[in-house]
Amino acid sequence: MKKFALILPLLFGVFFCTLAQEGSAPENSLNSGTIESQFEYIYRVSNNFQEYEVVKKANLEKLKSNILDSLKTMRVQVGDLKNAQIAKADSIRTITQSLNQALEEKEAAIEAKESFSFLGMNIQKTVYSSMMWTLVTVLAGFLAFFSLQYFRSFSKIKKAKKDLEEVQEEFDQHRKNTLERERKLKRELIDAQMGKS
């Protein structure tokens, strides 16, 4: 009875350990887990024969199938990643082209805003403005020059007119004096003729 009392707890311990291993077996089996855990499972359940590990063929086939499935899944994932990378590269290329086109349109719009057609030539507004201000300055210079010439001529004409008036007055005075002298001479002549007769 003593032996049975000692063996009974030992049997319960082994039973619970077996249950614990069976409970964890699905986690570390060929049906689930990583490839590494599946290899560990194969090593754990295989038998030793001299220096070799004896593995069940079914386990080996299952592991091979799992590895091939994993490789197939990884190839699909790599293909998806490549396709995503190509799509992103195409998207980046499209965005870059759109950006370049937008920049070209912006530069064309700025150039169109900064220039206009004048006499059939495309002229920048700054150049046109400089030309117009130069033209205005030249015309203002000509106006100032001709105004100065006009005022000089006007003063000369005024002086000449004044001189003419003075000469005219002198001429009129001279004519009056001449007329008076002629009358005086005529009177003297008439008086002289009358005095002789």
Side-chain angles (χ1 to χ4, degrees):
M1 186 75 177
K2 272 185 170 182
K3 286 184 182 183
F4 184 68
L6 287 176
I7 292 176
L8 189 61
L10 188 61
L11 284 174
F12 277 128
V14 170
F15 177 71
F16 284 123
C17 283
T18 307
L19 282 178
Q21 282 181 355
E22 285 178 4
S24 66
E27 290 178 8
N28 294 325
S29 70
L30 293 175
N31 294 327
S32 65
T34 63
I35 297 292
E36 187 179 347
S37 68
Q38 290 178 19
F39 270 110
E40 287 174 6
Y41 176 77
I42 291 279
Y43 286 133
R44 199 171 56 243
V45 296
S46 61
N47 297 324
N48 290 335
F49 176 72
Q50 294 177 0
E51 297 176 13
Y52 304 104
E53 291 284 328
V54 178
V55 179
K56 290 182 182 175
K57 188 174 181 179
N59 287 346
L60 221 77
E61 291 293 327
K62 180 68 174 165
L63 181 63
K64 178 184 172 185
S65 171
N66 289 347
I67 291 172
L68 290 176
D69 285 345
S70 294
L71 286 175
K72 185 177 177 184
T73 303
M74 285 183 187
R75 282 189 190 116
V76 169
Q77 288 175 346
V78 167
D80 290 344
L81 288 174
K82 282 183 181 178
N83 290 339
Q85 185 180 11
I86 290 170
K88 284 183 182 178
D90 288 343
S91 176
I92 290 171
R93 192 177 310 110
T94 304
I95 290 170
T96 304
Q97 288 173 349
S98 298
L99 179 63
N100 290 338
Q101 183 179 359
L103 288 174
E104 288 173 6
E105 289 174 1
K106 176 187 164 194
E107 298 214 354
I110 289 172
E111 185 177 337
K113 183 181 176 189
E114 293 293 322
S115 64
F116 63 95
S117 181
F118 179 71
L119 300 175
M121 297 183 307
N122 199 17
I123 298 178
Q124 294 287 332
K125 286 185 178 179
T126 53
V127 173
Y128 176 76
S129 178
S130 299
M131 285 173 40
M132 285 297 114
W133 281 112
T134 304
L135 183 63
V136 166
T137 306
V138 168
L139 289 175
F142 280 135
L143 179 64
F145 175 75
F146 287 121
S147 296
L148 185 64
Q149 291 298 323
Y150 171 76
F151 286 119
R152 279 186 186 168
S153 298
F154 182 72
S155 65
K156 286 180 182 178
I157 290 170
K158 194 172 179 184
K159 186 177 181 224
K161 192 175 180 183
K162 186 177 178 186
D163 290 345
L164 180 64
E165 286 174 359
E166 287 176 2
V167 169
Q168 185 73 31
E169 282 178 17
E170 285 179 15
F171 178 71
D172 286 343
Q173 189 65 35
H174 180 66
R175 197 172 72 177
K176 281 181 187 178
N177 290 341
T178 306
L179 281 174
E180 277 183 31
R181 218 177 300 144
E182 276 182 25
R183 282 183 199 152
K184 196 175 181 185
L185 284 172
K186 278 184 183 178
R187 255 187 262 143
E188 286 177 3
L189 182 63
I190 291 174
D191 284 342
Q193 285 177 350
M194 288 193 130
K196 284 183 182 177
S197 19

